[in-house]
Amino acid sequence: MAMAEPEFRATGVRIERWPRSLTKAGQVLIKDGRLQLLTSYGRVIDSAPVRAVRAGRARFTDEASTAVKVNGKRYRLTMGQRDRGSDAETLAGRFLKAVHGAGAAGD
């Protein structure tokens, strides 16, 4: 049985939980209907079913940042922190689309 590919994966993500940074090179993974925020070493920071996650653009920041609420905790995710060559704004948009699409699929 083959493992399913993740619906979304990003590395080099700055993950902040107001007011402090948890990691500058974290990972965001959406797989099998579940969102995981991970450190650069793969340790789980937080995890929840995607349909229970709230996500949107972070206020007063650039387009590469999103605001996420997981298990009642607010996080700011800034894409493309490690790889400046990637299009961080596009990656943030893909993340929001994956979260919103998974939430709609679960309704």
Side-chain angles (χ1 to χ4, degrees):
M1 185 167 140
M3 300 263 309
E5 287 293 314
E7 292 94 54
F8 180 84
R9 167 173 275 175
T11 58
V13 179
R14 179 184 200 107
I15 302 174
E16 297 171 285
R17 180 156 182 240
W18 287 277
R20 65 186 185 111
S21 176
L22 301 175
T23 181
K24 292 181 181 178
Q27 303 172 54
V28 177
L29 180 66
I30 298 176
K31 185 175 180 180
D32 299 326
R34 192 156 190 88
L35 168 75
Q36 290 187 317
L37 304 178
L38 308 165
T39 66
S40 57
Y41 299 106
R43 185 180 60 82
V44 176
I45 295 169
D46 212 338
S47 175
V50 178
R51 69 177 187 274
V53 172
R54 294 257 189 232
R57 293 282 180 192
R59 289 191 218 169
F60 312 114
T61 62
D62 62 16
E63 292 293 313
S65 293
T66 58
V68 182
K69 194 169 191 179
V70 180
N71 297 319
K73 298 176 202 141
R74 294 184 314 157
Y75 297 93
R76 183 168 66 191
L77 311 178
T78 306
M79 306 292 173
Q81 290 295 289
R82 203 165 30 167
D83 182 11
R84 294 289 182 182
S86 71
D87 188 356
E89 292 176 13
T90 301
L91 196 56
R94 282 187 42 232
F95 169 73
L96 291 174
K97 188 173 182 178
V99 169
H100 296 150
D107 292 344

